[in-house]
Amino acid sequence: FPVTIGVMSSNMWFNVCTAYGLGFRPTNADGTPVANPDIKRFFRRNNMIKFWAEQFTDVKHFFFSVLVIILDKEGKMIVQIRHKEAVNCRFETCNEETGRIEHIFYANWKDKPKDDDIEAIVLLDEDDPVGDLMVRLGVEPDPETGKTNAMTKDRKFAIVNRIPTPGMKYYPFPYYCSTLS
């Protein structure tokens, strides 16, 4: 059993490294370096190398990752992007009317957190997070109603990236788990 874990850990590390590849390079569509001062400020203020390593590590281990975008006060631009460790994320039970999961709960669950210690973060639509954000910010009409909503007061939103596995609406079942059972 310990040999299996050692080999699997090495394989998982290899997968994380290969997913990372040559790193993160912000460029324009034509491949030239980004010159926009707002975008340059964003990259100065957010450690994207660390962020991507955290995201890939969670995707390779848990088959999903959670990132949080934080908007400025006006809701006009993303000023921060943060990784939330998958091991500390829980999905809210989906809304029975819409079938959508509306929040991610983040806490150190092994410490049996009290309600005040649990962070609830609005979860954007997994299939169209940008469109969902635009609707919530009142920039685009809701595709279901055709109406443009007032801008939400929320300034923090979660986006889930997951590797789909059959029948798993909440938590994917990593295929490597069969080696541990």
Side-chain angles (χ1 to χ4, degrees):
F1 183 73
V3 171
T4 304
I5 296 297
V7 169
M8 188 171 73
S9 294
S10 296
N11 290 339
M12 298 289 282
W13 172 241
F14 174 80
N15 290 342
V16 170
C17 290
T18 56
Y20 185 68
L22 294 174
F24 192 86
R25 297 178 186 179
T27 61
N28 296 308
D30 64 2
T32 60
V34 169
N36 181 304
D38 291 330
I39 295 173
K40 289 175 113 176
R41 183 179 319 109
F42 174 85
F43 283 99
R44 243 189 350 265
R45 303 288 310 270
N46 293 276
N47 185 346
M48 296 306 289
I49 294 169
K50 177 180 179 260
F51 171 78
W52 281 117
E54 291 168 330
Q55 288 284 294
F56 285 125
T57 299
D58 275 357
V59 165
K60 294 298 184 172
H61 281 81
F62 301 109
F63 273 33
F64 79 98
S65 67
V66 177
L67 67 100
V68 171
I69 56 172
I70 302 167
L71 306 178
D72 62 4
K73 274 188 196 180
E74 296 79 29
K76 300 291 182 192
M77 77 174 61
I78 299 170
V79 292
Q80 291 182 328
I81 187 167
R82 296 293 181 256
H83 169 76
K84 292 291 189 183
E85 288 189 53
V87 73
N88 292 327
C89 291
R90 301 293 182 270
F91 295 102
E92 179 179 45
T93 303
C94 67
N95 179 322
E96 290 183 21
E97 292 178 23
T98 64
R100 289 181 47 188
I101 301 168
E102 296 177 349
H103 293 88
I104 289 288
F105 299 118
Y106 187 78
N108 186 346
W109 300 102
K110 64 183 174 184
D111 289 346
K112 298 183 176 130
K114 295 182 177 30
D115 288 349
D116 291 346
D117 299 326
I118 301 171
E119 181 181 15
I121 307 167
V122 175
L123 177 62
L124 294 174
D125 183 336
E126 289 185 54
D127 295 323
D128 185 14
V130 173
D132 188 10
L133 183 61
M134 294 295 104
V135 169
R136 291 172 189 266
L137 296 176
V139 175
E140 294 180 1
D142 185 323
E144 292 179 23
T145 65
K147 296 180 182 176
T148 301
N149 303 326
M151 181 187 287
T152 180
K153 293 180 193 264
D154 295 315
R155 293 296 178 261
K156 192 179 218 182
F157 301 93
I159 299 173
V160 170
N161 297 300
R162 68 170 97 210
I163 295 174
T165 57
M168 299 294 166
K169 179 170 180 83
Y170 292 98
Y171 303 96
F173 185 79
Y175 296 113
Y176 69 81
C177 284
S178 64
T179 63
L180 298 176
S181 38

